[in-house]
Amino acid sequence: MFSVFAPGLFAGKLAVVAGASSGINLQIARRLGQAGAHVVIFSRSEDKIAAAVEDLRQDGCSAEGFAQDVRDYPGVATLFERIAVTRGEIDIVISGAAGNFVAPALGMSANGFKTVVDIDLLGTFHVFRASHAHLRKPGASLISISAPQGLLPFAYQCHVNAAKAGVNSLSQTLAVEWASDGIRVNVIVPGPIGDTEGMDRLSPDPEATDALLRRIPLGRYGGKDDIAALAVFLSSEAARNITGAIMVSDGGQTLIGAGGVAAALGARDPAA
Ligand code: HXC
Ligand code: NAP
């Protein structure tokens, strides 16, 4: 089968992946590292990051990690400074840190809404803004990890819907502003991806999973490598003419409308 995971594709490159202590972002880091990039990962938990770095090294990657919350701009800026001083210009940045819980708008405090917007949207601004001074120009690739919620209004997800729509808009704006520096900025929209924290939260039992699967035309969850393959492609020379793109890998979920989370929870499905 054709594979984009070519050994040596990113030899000599430097990649930074935010929110990579687990799940989809860790798999992206693994594939970038296995293709030869030195990979720097960070997230809040020192223990989770240490375990993830060990995991990456076991899989043959050159990797290091740091505990850093994306909501803390001075901390993020200091980290990028440190990476650039020790490792040089940065070729690839992935902004994927995110938070989610299922709650109706009326069951969500102002701080609950703000917390998710701060992690997903403000965090992506922080990561991209702080990286800019240290990016390879021309040539760097930035990717934000968004969600179907950024394209469609899923019930019980108003915080994520707003945050991810903002991530899409922010990324496209930077694609325009930073094109003259030779920096590309793209967005990946994973649909439901199996064996992840995100889907454990949105689809907690077999009935919920069935209800969600009925709303995916291809009839299955994606895998983490489906998303890592897109990240590898978009970060490579093969995508040198692509910027500001919103690349959706969701089995067709967004083609038939939102409502999946409400249906999975057994509530009235506003899109049914
Ligand atoms: C209502 C809730 C809540 C819930 C938290 N809050 N959980 N409100 N229902 N289930 C409220 C709290 O009461 C508090 O408001 C505010 O949110 C902040 O909560 P904290 O626990 O203090 O926040 P923090 O420690 O910063 O943790 C952030 C978090 C947490 C988002 C709440 O769940 C987290 O750390 N998540 C990271 C992992 C994660 O979510 N992974 C999934 C990503 S998947 P008050 O008013 O009480 O102070 C994804 C999209 C998937 O993003 C899409 C799939 C298709
Ligand atoms: P995950 O494993 O929970 O990944 C989220 C990561 O973000 C974790 O590494 C977490 O690590 C980190 N993080 C959370 N808050 C942070 C903060 N304030 N600062 C720094 N790091 C923080 O979830 P996932 O399901 O793989 O999701 C990964 C990405 O894909 C997210 O952007 C999500 O929105 C997107 N997505 C997922 C799906 C899906 O089906 N799973 C679908 C669509 C989109 P710490 O706890 O160590 O901080």
Side-chain angles (χ1 to χ4, degrees):
M1 189 175 84
F2 170 77
S3 173
V4 297
F5 301 129
L9 183 65
F10 297 126
K13 305 273 189 193
L14 176 58
V16 180
V17 188
S21 65
S22 56
I24 293 168
N25 305 321
L26 175 57
Q27 188 62 15
I28 292 172
R30 189 186 326 276
R31 291 308 195 176
L32 294 173
Q34 288 177 330
H38 176 75
V39 182
V40 183
I41 62 172
F42 69 96
S43 75
R44 293 167 302 179
S45 161
E46 198 156 357
D47 289 350
K48 283 172 66 182
I49 276 293
V53 167
E54 184 54 32
D55 182 21
L56 291 173
R57 289 181 179 158
Q58 292 282 335
D59 272 348
C61 302
S62 168
E64 63 189 309
F66 300 91
Q68 177 59 52
D69 194 315
V70 293
R71 292 170 286 191
D72 164 19
Y73 185 74
V76 173
T78 301
L79 176 58
F80 272 100
E81 179 79 39
R82 178 174 173 181
I83 293 166
V85 166
T86 56
R87 292 280 172 182
E89 289 181 324
I90 299 166
D91 299 285
I92 297 166
V93 178
I94 313 285
S95 175
N100 194 6
F101 52 83
V102 175
L106 294 179
M108 195 182 294
S109 68
N111 190 44
F113 184 89
K114 179 179 182 298
T115 297
V116 168
V117 171
D118 281 355
I119 300 171
D120 294 27
L121 175 54
L122 198 59
T124 296
F125 178 76
H126 288 167
V127 169
F128 287 171
R129 176 71 182 83
S131 73
H132 185 273
H134 311 293
L135 296 173
R136 188 175 305 285
K137 306 179 191 81
S141 161
L142 312 189
I143 297 172
S144 58
I145 307 300
S146 187
Q149 285 91 327
L151 301 172
L152 295 167
F154 283 69
Y156 310 142
Q157 292 277 274
C158 72
H159 48 356
V160 178
N161 299 340
K164 295 294 196 183
V167 166
N168 296 350
S169 179
L170 168 67
S171 304
Q172 290 187 316
T173 306
L174 298 184
V176 176
E177 288 193 15
W178 294 353
S180 56
D181 292 327
I183 297 166
R184 296 180 299 108
V185 189
N186 290 294
V187 181
I188 294 178
V189 175
I193 303 298
D195 187 27
T196 60
E197 180 66 29
M199 286 322 295
D200 287 351
R201 287 171 185 238
L202 291 185
S203 173
D205 56 52
E207 291 75 38
T209 301
D210 280 351
L212 263 180
L213 282 173
R214 279 197 294 277
R215 302 190 64 89
I216 302 174
L218 286 182
R220 59 172 166 73
Y221 283 180
K224 285 178 255 191
D225 258 348
D226 293 323
I227 306 308
L230 261 184
V232 165
F233 166 66
L234 286 172
S235 302
S236 78
E237 267 289 297
R240 67 184 183 178
N241 201 39
I242 302 177
T243 196
I246 297 180
M247 307 276 271
V248 181
S249 175
D250 71 343
Q253 185 194 35
T254 47
L255 297 176
I256 61 165
V261 175
L265 296 173
R268 191 177 78 84
D269 182 345

